[in-house]
């Protein structure tokens, strides 16, 4: 897959596969960011709240939104950033999408995270896997950095957050504006953490 280091994006398509409340949260975050690219937030789920969209162990009840997300990767062009966030990814295919892909997961050092890293240009990783029945299940943290295949890993705790769903709108906008290389520079300069703290102040998923 092509690794995009230069900002040449015409638009950012943010796909929320979790719930309408998460889509509302993403819209609020993006409005505060005032991005320099066109943004469209789409909710592909029929569920209003995250709890309703998940099984007892934190997986998606309905995998169709994830499948639609994957189909979108085959339709969008290279000047687009496509992003989503979900607790645990279902099966991750071995494909090379044209758009730049940002995916958030809460699987920490679980092998599922590496599966996603083979698909995405940037993976936003939380380690608290939320389950409606038991609450968060914790994995070990992963280190922020760049893998050999070029994928950038962002540990949400490095930018002061707890869950990937909170961080993905911020990371996706930064990638759309400045490319993957720009994201790395922003991480090194601590700009991502500062920006996340600013735009997420007094705003959480529990409020939407």
């Amino acid at each position: 897959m092509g690794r995009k280091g230069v900002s040449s994006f015409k638009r950012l398509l943010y796909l929320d596969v979790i719930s309408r409340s998460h889509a509302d949260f993403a819209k609020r975050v993006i409005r505060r960011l005032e991005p320099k690219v066109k943004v469209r937030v789409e909710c592909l789920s029929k569920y209003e709240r995250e709890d309703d969209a998940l099984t007892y162990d934190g997986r998606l009840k309905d995998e169709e939104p994830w499948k639609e997300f994957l189909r979108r990767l085959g339709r969008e062009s290279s000047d687009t950033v496509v992003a989503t966030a979900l607790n645990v990814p279902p099966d991750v295919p071995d494909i090379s999408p044209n758009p730049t892909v940002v995916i958030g997961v809460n699987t920490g050092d679980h092998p599922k995270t590496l599966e996603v890293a083979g698909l995405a240009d940037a993976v936003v990783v939380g380690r608290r896997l939320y389950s409606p029945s038991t609450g968060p299940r914790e994995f070990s943290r992963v280190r922020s950095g760049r893998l050999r295949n070029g994928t950038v890993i962002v540990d949400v705790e490095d930018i002061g957050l707890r869950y990937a769903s909170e961080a993905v709108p911020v990371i996706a906008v930064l990638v759309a504006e400045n490319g993957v290389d720009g994201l790395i520079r922003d991480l090194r300069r601590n700009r991502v953490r500062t920006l996340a703290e600013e735009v997420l102040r007094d705003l959480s998923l529990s409020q939407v």
Side-chain angles (χ1 to χ4, degrees), residues 44 63-73 75:
L44 300 182
E63 291 189 8
E64 183 54 33
W66 172 248
K67 294 175 182 177
E68 173 58 25
F69 171 75
L70 295 176
R71 287 192 289 267
R72 188 76 68 145
L73 298 186
R75 297 197 299 263

Side-chain angles (χ1 to χ4, degrees), residues 54-70:
L54 301 175
T55 62
Y56 71 93
D57 61 352
R59 298 174 184 272
L60 291 176
K61 284 182 181 176
D62 179 8
E63 291 189 8
E64 183 54 33
W66 172 248
K67 294 175 182 177
E68 173 58 25
F69 171 75
L70 295 176

Side-chain angles (χ1 to χ4, degrees), residues 4-11 37 78-80 175-179:
K4 298 86 178 178
V6 179
S7 179
S8 59
F9 303 115
K10 295 179 181 177
R11 66 189 176 106
V37 295
S78 59
D79 61 3
T80 302
V175 169
E177 290 184 339
N178 302 308

